[in-house]
Amino acid sequence: MATAPPDAAVRAEGLEKRYGDKRALDGLDLTVHRGTVHGLLGPNGAGKTTVVRILATLLRPDGGRATVAGHEVVRSPQQVRARIGLAGQYAAVDGILTGRQNLEMFGKLFHLGARRARVRATELLDQFGLGDAAGKSARTYSGGMRRRLDLAASLILAPEVLFLDEPTTGLDPRGRNEVWESVRGLTATGTTVLLTTQYLDEADQLADRVSVIEHGRTIADGTPAELKRQIGGERLQVVLRDPADLPHAVRTVARVAANGVAPTTDEAERRVGAPVTEGVAALTEVARTLQDEGIGVEDIGLRRPTLDEVFLRLTGRGTAEAGKEGGGRMSAGTVLHIPHDDGPAPWRPAGADDGPVRRLYWAFADCLTIVRRDLTHLVRQPVIIAWQLGFPIVSVVLFVYVFGSAMNVGGGVDYPTFAMPGIFAMTISFGFMNTAVAVVVDRDHGVTDRFRSLPMATSAVVSGRGVADVIGATVDLVVLAAIAVVVGWRSHGSPAATLAAFGLLLLLRFALTWIGVYLGLLAPNQESAGGLYAVAFPFGMISSVFTPPSMMPDWLGTIAMWNPVSSTAGAIRELFGNPATTGGSWVEQHAVLMAVLWPAVLTAVFLPLAVRRFRRLSR
């Protein structure tokens, strides 16, 4: 890669990105100079979003190189993330948390520390007019309020480069002005803003230079005025009262047209137009001639080409085709840059280049922040606990009180004593489904991308989820154990053995969490993730939860015997001092060992798969 100019805020050279056989980027070059407004225009599918995601470290290019704020996006993603802000096309905020909790959480993940995160959250809530709603859940916000909260989250630090993807879409004029006032105030402190928008007037007003891309390559570059001059500069336009006068008007306008260009006509609109060089003189001559000839004029005037026309001319697309792609509105990307002040800007990241000890500290802090967030979800969604405990409680009632007297599991063990440890294990096994659904929700709502764009430890997203799941499972077990005691179940093992039994249950939950994370990352949508319940139900039921494998048909008993849930259920029965010696297989005789081996194997397999899948989101 050639040395970037000293005044380059963003530099890309030969960027390539492929999705199967499709080339999203095909050797794209881009240089954004400091102190300029650089527009990036292109039709849908031209590669604009791909460029932004690569520059924000959310995608890895297949070829070429790029630097943002002086750091390469592939070699130094953490340094880039510490210097950027991101607001995607949709408001990527946590709907369960309040507005204040969202901003405080992101502030902590930007490594401001708890106190500074609280101060910055208060500042931003007041700045964006969200102070009165700070304590309300973000899911109760209107679309405009969520958009403002999303933008506030991207401005927690004064980033050197801020990526905004259509930030004013769906906002009324007042909300749109508020967003731009906030962005302009930030750029005054030295921030570069990379913006995609459906409103070309924003790009036309702000851009100092414009690059037009199509099929992943740059096809034109220049100032807006230069690009407009390529299609003729000013245009004279005449609208007649009577369409029968069009031939006369065409001859009149042709005499003043620049470079002898033939005028264009629109019979339906009774309009004649042509590019001109001396606009005022041409307007005066045409108006006088038409008046002298007695031709009625409804409207006459000069206008400059718009960026819409520049785009259409450069890409060879007609107005009708443009309407099909975007309802008559073209997308645009704009880069705003104001030179940095001599003094330090407020709320800049400190410690982006910390040493290994400090990075380990922040990784631990990031994990705790994610744990708090996920536990807040649990507290504010009691329906999750009710769902996880509902079936086990019904099972207690049915199998202990209704069917219990008719069941004989052998070994001198009464059925309630046999069934209750199995119900504990089944409760734990069902939990990974909620994990999968939560992962999909975060991904679909853009929260995962926001996490990935922050300078937080990547491992914290996954590890925090695992720790929170174990804590939530502990709550489930405490509640279920209390119910079990009420219905007469008792552990006859020593206190240490009883604690070890609950430890094995949590170990199984920890292992199953990674299955949930992996399946959630694989699921294409929330409906697919919800379908995992159909998989998890037989996983818990085809086991020794309610019936010993020896009492099942041979083929079913073999499956149940090798089920991890069966091993954990058998192990905790033994530790509770209520073993059901109904089987003589090696697996059943070494249930405690298997209850340790199964989680170890599941974790060893699915934790790397989950991490790998999480990283593949960048491809």
Side-chain angles (χ1 to χ4, degrees):
M1 181 177 184
T3 302
D7 63 342
V10 177
R11 171 78 167 173
E13 185 175 272
L15 283 184
E16 297 179 0
K17 185 63 184 177
R18 294 177 295 275
Y19 298 102
D21 296 332
K22 180 182 177 182
R23 284 182 173 269
L25 296 181
D26 189 16
L28 183 135
D29 298 328
L30 177 67
T31 300
V32 179
H33 297 277
R34 297 184 189 277
T36 66
V37 177
H38 195 108
L40 185 65
L41 308 183
N44 292 338
K48 301 184 304 299
T49 299
T50 301
V51 172
V52 171
R53 290 178 65 81
I54 287 175
L55 296 177
T57 75
L58 297 180
L59 280 177
R60 290 176 64 90
D62 296 322
R65 299 171 70 185
T67 61
V68 174
H71 296 274
E72 290 194 17
V73 297
V74 174
R75 291 186 179 180
S76 306
Q78 285 297 94
Q79 283 73 14
V80 171
R81 292 166 188 160
R83 293 164 175 83
I84 67 172
L86 173 67
Q89 192 169 1
Y90 305 100
V93 294
D94 190 321
I96 304 300
L97 303 184
T98 66
R100 181 179 298 281
Q101 287 174 329
N102 266 282
L103 296 184
E104 288 186 5
M105 175 182 70
F106 291 127
K108 292 174 183 176
L109 295 176
F110 265 116
H111 300 164
L112 291 180
R115 185 185 63 81
R116 296 182 73 212
R118 285 194 297 272
V119 173
R120 184 57 174 156
T122 299
E123 292 178 358
L124 289 168
L125 289 166
D126 292 340
Q127 179 182 348
F128 283 87
L130 296 171
D132 292 340
K136 297 179 181 179
S137 173
R139 64 183 171 186
T140 66
Y141 287 11
S142 67
M145 292 171 67
R146 286 175 63 89
R147 204 56 172 129
R148 295 205 301 274
L149 180 63
D150 181 59
L151 184 58
S154 69
L155 302 184
I156 287 174
L157 299 183
E160 295 183 46
V161 179
L162 174 63
F163 298 101
L164 299 178
D165 190 1
E166 300 183 10
T168 59
T169 298
L171 297 184
D172 57 24
R174 178 179 179 181
R176 191 180 179 195
N177 289 334
E178 288 175 353
V179 169
W180 279 108
E181 285 300 316
S182 300
V183 172
R184 289 192 179 102
L186 187 68
T187 58
T189 69
T191 293
T192 300
V193 178
L194 177 59
L195 164 75
T196 67
T197 177
Q198 290 187 354
Y199 306 111
L200 275 174
D201 60 313
E202 292 178 341
D204 212 353
Q205 294 173 13
L206 296 170
D208 293 313
R209 293 191 67 82
V210 172
S211 294
V212 181
I213 68 172
E214 188 173 32
H215 302 307
R217 298 180 66 89
T218 302
I219 62 173
D221 183 86
T223 67
E226 290 172 345
L227 294 178
K228 291 173 184 178
R229 280 197 294 271
Q230 290 184 23
I231 61 172
E234 289 184 314
R235 291 180 61 85
L236 173 64
Q237 184 170 282
V238 181
V239 179
L240 304 174
R241 291 197 183 99
D242 187 350
D245 293 327
L246 279 172
H248 298 285
V250 169
R251 290 193 296 271
T252 301
V253 172
R255 290 198 293 269
V256 299
N259 302 320
V261 175
T264 59
T265 62
D266 186 332
E267 294 185 7
E269 297 292 334
R270 310 182 306 281
R271 184 168 55 227
V272 179
V276 296
T277 52
E278 299 294 334
V280 175
L283 174 65
T284 302
E285 180 181 342
V286 170
R288 184 183 298 113
T289 300
L290 293 177
Q291 183 180 20
D292 292 343
E293 295 181 359
I295 296 176
V297 176
E298 187 173 288
D299 185 33
I300 184 171
L302 294 170
R303 67 181 183 86
R304 301 190 65 186
T306 66
L307 285 181
D308 299 66
E309 294 171 315
V310 172
F311 169 80
L312 294 174
R313 178 69 63 86
L314 290 172
T315 60
R317 293 165 180 252
T319 303
E321 184 178 353
K324 291 178 183 177
E325 289 204 0
R329 296 187 300 179
M330 291 296 113
S331 297
T334 303
V335 177
L336 303 172
H337 192 96
I338 306 299
H340 286 268
D341 297 334
D342 293 334
W347 301 105
R348 293 290 184 195
D353 302 307
D354 286 334
V357 175
R358 192 66 174 169
R359 287 198 298 270
L360 182 61
Y361 166 79
W362 283 121
F364 180 73
D366 293 341
C367 178
L368 290 182
T369 299
I370 298 298
V371 169
R372 293 191 190 98
R373 177 247 185 180
D374 290 341
L375 291 180
T376 301
H377 278 214
L378 189 65
V379 171
R380 294 190 177 166
Q381 298 180 102
V383 65
I384 295 177
I385 298 178
W387 167 252
Q388 289 185 184
L389 292 177
F391 183 75
I393 291 174
V394 171
S395 299
V396 169
V397 174
L398 288 177
F399 288 94
V400 173
Y401 287 108
V402 179
F403 304 129
S405 60
M407 301 290 289
N408 180 13
V409 295
V413 178
D414 64 274
Y415 187 72
T417 300
F418 171 85
M420 192 58 66
I423 293 174
F424 285 145
M426 181 186 65
T427 302
I428 288 298
S429 70
F430 283 176
F432 79 91
M433 299 177 295
N434 293 326
T435 301
V437 173
V439 169
V440 176
V441 170
D442 277 351
R443 186 196 63 200
D444 289 354
H445 290 179
V447 176
T448 299
D449 272 353
R450 183 177 289 284
F451 284 152
R452 293 171 57 232
S453 72
L454 300 178
M456 63 182 291
T458 304
S459 61
V461 178
V462 177
S463 61
R465 169 70 64 184
V467 173
D469 276 3
V470 169
I471 295 175
T474 302
V475 174
D476 292 342
L477 289 176
V478 168
V479 174
L480 193 57
I483 294 173
V485 170
V486 169
V487 300
W489 173 84
R490 297 291 185 272
S491 171
H492 300 291
S494 67
T498 301
L499 288 177
F502 283 106
L504 288 179
L505 289 167
L506 296 178
L507 185 63
L508 178 63
R509 176 56 179 272
F510 182 77
L512 294 177
T513 290
W514 310 122
I515 299 180
V517 172
Y518 179 62
L519 294 179
L521 292 173
L522 283 179
N525 49 52
Q526 295 182 38
E527 290 75 17
S528 298
L532 293 175
Y533 287 95
V535 177
F537 187 78
F539 177 75
M541 296 299 292
I542 304 178
S543 66
S544 65
V545 168
F546 298 115
T547 305
S550 59
M551 298 180 65
M552 302 178 185
D554 290 343
W555 65 272
L556 191 61
T558 300
I559 295 174
M561 180 178 63
W562 286 97
N563 189 327
V565 177
S566 295
S567 295
T568 300
I572 63 176
R573 288 184 181 113
E574 183 176 330
L575 292 170
F576 285 150
N578 310 127
T581 56
T582 57
S585 70
W586 186 92
V587 173
E588 292 173 290
Q589 291 176 2
H590 297 82
V592 174
L593 175 61
M594 293 299 294
V596 174
L597 289 179
W598 266 121
V601 170
L602 294 175
T603 301
V605 172
F606 285 96
L607 177 56
L609 286 176
V611 172
R612 182 182 179 186
R613 183 64 186 176
F614 189 80
R615 289 174 177 172
R616 284 181 65 86
L617 295 176
S618 298
R619 298 182 181 179

